[in-house]
Amino acid sequence: MREEVTLIRPPGEGGAPGTGSSELPTDLFDQVRGRLRLLTALFAIAFGVDLFIFVATRLVTAVTDISLPEDAAANGGFQLINLSAVVASLGLRWAAGNHRISASRLHTLGMAYEIGLCFIIAILSYSLFYDSYRILPNLTWAPAVIIMFPLIMPGPPRRLLAAACAAATAVEKVAWKYPSASIWIR
């Protein structure tokens, strides 16, 4: 005679029945550190390239007689935003390597980092494009970031969805600042 297998845990072992778990299994939480270190390294490099090009261009124009156009010379304030993104990325990378910080806390910091990155990307891309062309860009890197985070960093679906919605809302709030937003966003 075959023995029946129960797939539902008794109430004392995994929480109350009917409630979803908001925690990851420990083997996935162990991967959060390495994956968050990968993401922060990628974004530190991405924001650092623009900063490096700006500084290199400034150095070349200071040494030679070449002058920059007015709009290129005026975006120094945006480079401070790039610098803050690089510092935040390197700081979170350091925190991910520190084993005194729990993986659960790192996951929460990673979700906040996603929201902050999307906000910074929206500020940079919308402001620079709008100042040049007086319209909003059709596409930014923010959707790619929103898609990339759940693919690389594991997490409970509800938590990842909440972070993605908050990141998209941050982008939308920046877009509404501009007069041409009513044309594109409804």
Side-chain angles (χ1 to χ4, degrees), residues 71-172:
D71 60 341
N75 73 358
F78 292 113
Q79 299 309 319
L80 291 175
I81 296 172
N82 275 332
L83 180 63
S84 68
V86 169
V87 169
S89 297
L90 294 176
L92 189 55
R93 182 170 169 75
W94 172 83
N98 187 352
H99 290 285
R100 288 181 286 162
I101 299 173
S102 70
S104 176
R105 177 141 322 174
L106 278 176
H107 195 272
T108 303
L109 288 173
M111 297 294 102
Y113 178 70
E114 174 188 3
I115 296 165
L117 277 182
C118 288
F119 185 71
I120 288 172
I121 290 169
I123 287 173
L124 291 175
S125 59
Y126 288 153
S127 297
L128 290 172
F129 199 85
Y130 188 81
D131 289 346
S132 297
Y133 303 108
R134 295 292 178 216
I135 60 171
L136 291 179
N138 291 333
L139 186 64
T140 68
W141 282 102
V145 171
I146 292 171
I147 293 168
M148 185 185 313
F149 263 81
L151 290 176
I152 294 179
M153 198 167 72
R158 288 182 189 157
R159 197 172 193 187
L160 293 174
L161 179 63
C165 290
T169 302
V171 171
E172 182 183 352

Side-chain angles (χ1 to χ4, degrees), residues 7-8 18 22 28 30 36 50 55 66 75 85 93 97 106-107 112 116 121-122 140 145 161-162 168 171 176 185:
L7 298 177
I8 300 174
S22 64
L28 283 179
D30 293 339
L36 191 57
D50 192 29
V55 170
I66 301 171
N75 73 358
R93 182 170 169 75
L106 278 176
H107 195 272
I121 290 169
T140 68
V145 171
L161 179 63
V171 171
W176 275 108
I185 301 172

Side-chain angles (χ1 to χ4, degrees), residues 23-34:
E23 295 297 322
L24 287 175
T26 55
D27 59 335
L28 283 179
F29 258 140
D30 293 339
Q31 294 178 11
V32 167
R33 287 186 193 285

